[in-house]
């Protein structure tokens, strides 16, 4: 296994992180998904992440793409206890993060979800704030990211077929200026095709998938591997 090597390159695959992302999203759109159904699925995923300690306090936010033209996302309202999420606490927003359905207001980080949805052909975007991502994104920020290699769990990432795969998790400097940060997110997605996620320094993980279950699986895989690095001491010895 290896971690944190400067200027590492991600393997080139489709912009979605999945060779079949576009097809899967098309299937999801034709399956009769509705705002209430998607909100209920996101609420269950969020409560599960809370139970694992990945979105404590009011941290984390979750979204799903409901439409592409025009772009519409279902996303969590701001300031919520993710352990008690309900479907009524989700909003539908447009391409400018304006609320078009639901009560409340989206987090400022909705602009990052929109940047990812514009840049990649994905159906869901999930953001967690675990201890592991906070520690690693802080200790490896100067190296530009963390490389994960040699782990069997990597095969849980869409399109990965071998434990020898090298997964690069870029680390971006955090900012309260979400417009500027969204521009940097768009840039890293263009420059690192094939990645499955990125980290914000001392903040947390963003990952995505063709649908909700794929995005959830990517969170589980990446959080597992980051925990392994911290617990094993491999991060400190790199």
């Amino acid at each position: 296994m290896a971690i944190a090597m400067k200027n590492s390159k991600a393997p080139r695959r489709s912009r979605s992180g999945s060779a079949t992302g576009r097809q899967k999203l098309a299937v999801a759109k034709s399956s009769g998904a509705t705002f209430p159904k998607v909100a209920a699925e996101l609420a269950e995923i969020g409560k599960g992440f809370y139970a694992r300690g990945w979105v404590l306090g009011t941290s984390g936010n979750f979204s799903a793409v409901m439409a592409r033209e025009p772009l519409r996302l279902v996303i969590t309202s701001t300031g919520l206890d993710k352990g008690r999420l309900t479907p009524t606490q989700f909003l539908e927003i447009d391409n400018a993060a304006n609320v078009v359905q639901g009560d409340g207001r989206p987090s400022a980080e909705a602009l990052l979800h929109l940047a990812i949805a514009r840049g990649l052909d994905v159906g869901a975007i999930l953001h967690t704030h675990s201890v592991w991502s906070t520690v690693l994104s802080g200790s490896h920020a100067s190296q530009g990211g963390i490389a994960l290699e040699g782990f069997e769990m990597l095969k849980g990432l869409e399109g990965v077929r071998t434990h020898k795969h090298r997964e690069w998790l870029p680390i971006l400097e955090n900012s309260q200026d979400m417009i500027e940060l969204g521009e940097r997110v768009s840039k890293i997605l263009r420059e690192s095709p094939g990645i499955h996620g990125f980290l914000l320094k001392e903040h947390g993980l963003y990952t995505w998938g063709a649908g909700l279950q794929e995005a959830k699986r990517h969170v589980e895989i990446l959080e597992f591997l980051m925990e392994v690095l911290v617990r094993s001491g491999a991060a400190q010895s790199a």
Side-chain angles (χ1 to χ4, degrees):
M1 61 185 171
I3 56 175
M5 298 186 70
K6 195 172 182 179
N7 297 324
S8 294
K9 298 291 185 181
R12 289 187 173 273
R13 298 206 321 279
S14 73
R15 294 295 305 281
S16 68
S18 166
T20 59
R22 190 176 299 276
Q23 295 94 319
K24 288 184 178 180
L25 185 54
V27 170
K29 287 180 178 178
S30 65
S31 64
T34 62
F35 178 94
K37 179 180 178 181
V38 172
E41 290 182 41
L42 284 168
E44 287 304 307
I45 287 171
K47 287 188 287 188
F49 287 175
Y50 176 88
R52 297 184 182 196
W54 296 341
V55 286
L56 299 179
T58 60
S59 66
N61 34 68
F62 322 117
S63 71
V65 177
M66 286 296 293
R68 280 282 170 190
E69 295 180 5
L71 183 60
R72 293 287 187 269
L73 297 187
V74 176
I75 194 167
T76 36
S77 297
T78 191
L80 299 176
D81 178 348
K82 302 308 186 296
R84 298 184 177 183
L85 275 180
T86 67
T88 61
Q89 294 174 316
F90 285 82
L91 311 169
E92 184 175 347
I93 61 172
D94 66 14
N95 190 48
N98 298 311
V99 176
V100 296
Q101 184 175 178
D103 297 319
R105 62 185 179 86
S107 163
E109 292 172 1
L111 294 179
L112 305 188
H113 287 250
L114 287 166
I116 296 167
R118 292 188 200 103
L120 300 173
D121 186 15
V122 296
I125 301 152
L126 305 176
H127 171 42
T128 52
H129 279 230
S130 70
V131 171
W132 324 111
S133 62
T134 303
V135 170
L136 289 176
S137 63
S139 63
H140 291 78
S142 64
Q143 296 166 301
I146 302 168
L148 304 166
E149 186 175 18
F151 296 101
E152 185 70 13
M153 283 289 276
L154 287 166
K155 290 159 65 177
L157 299 175
E158 188 64 24
V160 175
R161 298 292 177 261
T162 172
H163 68 282
K164 295 180 180 180
H165 169 77
R166 182 181 181 83
E167 181 70 23
W168 180 246
L169 276 180
I171 299 173
L172 285 69
E173 190 71 29
N174 196 17
S175 174
Q176 295 305 301
D177 183 343
M178 291 298 150
I179 295 176
E180 184 274 335
L181 182 54
E183 291 172 351
R184 284 192 281 124
V185 166
S186 297
K187 183 173 184 286
I188 202 70
L189 294 178
R190 291 193 301 270
E191 294 178 348
S192 304
I195 61 173
H196 291 85
F198 63 83
L199 297 167
L200 296 182
K201 181 183 176 182
E202 297 178 337
H203 184 150
L205 169 72
Y206 276 85
T207 187
W208 47 80
L212 286 172
Q213 292 308 308
E214 184 175 294
K216 173 178 175 286
R217 189 176 79 240
H218 289 171
V219 170
E220 293 172 344
I221 297 299
L222 294 173
E223 288 287 1
F224 172 90
L225 292 174
M226 288 188 290
E227 182 174 352
V228 166
L229 292 181
V230 175
R231 288 186 179 273
S232 67
Q236 289 75 21
S237 63

